Amino acid sequence: MEERFDYRLKFSKKGRAVYISHLDLMRTMQRAFKRAGLPIWYTQGFNPHAYIMFPLALSLGVVGECEVMDVALTKEIPFDEVKSSLNEALPTGLEIISVKEPMNEHKSIAKSEYEIVISGDANKTSFERFIEREKIEVKKLTKKKKEKVIDLKPYTEISELRDTSSGIYIKVLLPSGCETNINPGVLLDAFAEFSGADIQSKIRRTKILMANGKEFC
């Protein structure tokens, strides 16, 4: 059996790259590893495939400053060499920030921190009225494509809310991972419906956190 060496990469996804779908991101990374001459380890069995895994998908159009990718290589290569080789092979908008040995299991991911700027007809006061309600109920599809009503209120942790020259600035923690996963777009859609405002938004994921509050690594 071929030797396997595991790596955890943190990368950013910005600019035009935010419109690369999750499936296309997988293909882009596979091509980058090939161009960089980095030997990917392939899974064993009837249908072997390159071992590249993203523990947490990023929604289309959202900037990612802390995205995580796990990969296995057939050769032990220094972290700095993996980082520099990949960055030379990646398209504009994708950049490897760090390479290290995996420390925590994917199931330890609990929350994501987002920075959101809302522009348009809405204002800070209307968002405060929205978020201060006793319940924020929305319809959400389950993994089995069945519709259910969930209350966003217990899951939404806002640490900063202020007006800026660009619009309403919000820093918020939302659940991510295996148990519960709330897309910030769901929260914004609920706000738009509540306020009746025509809004636009820019969203950045700035941290991926574990249940103990520490960054996933």
Side-chain angles (χ1 to χ4, degrees):
M1 184 180 292
E2 209 166 22
E3 272 197 282
R4 167 179 169 164
F5 300 90
D6 291 318
Y7 295 79
R8 178 158 292 161
L9 284 65
K10 181 184 284 189
F11 67 97
S12 60
K13 189 171 183 247
K14 301 177 179 179
R16 294 196 305 175
V18 302
Y19 299 107
I20 298 175
S21 70
H22 188 64
L23 183 58
D24 285 338
L25 178 63
M26 174 74 76
R27 294 170 180 151
T28 299
M29 288 298 185
Q30 287 178 350
R31 288 194 295 267
F33 272 92
K34 188 174 182 179
R35 285 196 296 269
L38 297 171
I40 295 183
W41 180 86
Y42 278 73
T43 60
Q44 310 300 302
F46 181 73
N47 184 29
H49 59 272
Y51 185 83
I52 297 179
M53 182 176 290
F54 302 88
L56 201 58
L58 185 68
S59 298
L60 200 67
V62 176
V63 171
E65 296 183 348
C66 58
E67 300 312 293
V68 177
M69 172 176 64
D70 284 356
V71 64
L73 303 179
T74 60
K75 181 181 176 183
E76 189 171 15
I77 299 174
F79 296 150
D80 287 346
E81 186 177 332
V82 173
K83 177 184 174 181
S84 60
S85 298
L86 266 182
N87 277 333
E88 288 178 8
L90 283 170
T92 302
L94 293 173
E95 181 182 0
I96 305 302
I97 299 168
S98 66
V99 181
K100 59 180 68 175
E101 182 182 352
M103 299 296 292
N104 298 285
E105 295 182 1
H106 295 170
K107 65 183 181 181
S108 66
I109 294 174
K111 298 177 182 179
S112 290
E113 180 186 84
Y114 297 93
E115 292 183 359
I116 303 170
V117 176
I118 302 174
S119 57
D121 299 336
N123 55 52
K124 176 174 171 282
T125 302
S126 62
F127 192 86
E128 286 173 335
R129 287 201 301 266
F130 163 72
I131 207 67
E132 287 169 1
R133 291 184 299 164
E134 187 176 335
K135 289 185 177 182
I136 305 173
E137 292 185 333
V138 298
K139 292 179 181 178
K140 193 172 184 290
L141 288 177
T142 67
K143 290 180 180 180
K144 295 182 179 179
K145 304 300 180 184
K146 291 184 178 180
E147 198 175 75
K148 70 173 183 178
V149 175
I150 63 167
D151 180 10
L152 297 180
K153 180 76 173 185
Y155 300 116
T156 306
E157 302 175 50
I158 293 178
S159 59
E160 196 171 344
L161 173 62
R162 55 186 167 85
D163 280 321
T164 72
S165 58
S166 302
I168 310 167
Y169 172 87
I170 304 162
K171 184 181 286 187
V172 60
L173 284 178
L174 292 171
S176 296
C178 302
E179 295 297 322
T180 306
N181 201 338
I182 303 294
N183 186 317
V186 174
L187 182 68
L188 295 180
D189 287 346
F191 170 58
E193 184 178 351
F194 167 80
S195 64
D198 180 17
I199 66 170
Q200 297 82 45
S201 63
K202 293 181 179 179
I203 307 172
R204 312 171 72 88
R205 179 152 66 190
T206 52
K207 291 179 183 178
I208 295 174
L209 303 170
M210 299 182 289
N212 60 10
K214 293 182 178 180
E215 289 200 50
F216 176 74
C217 60

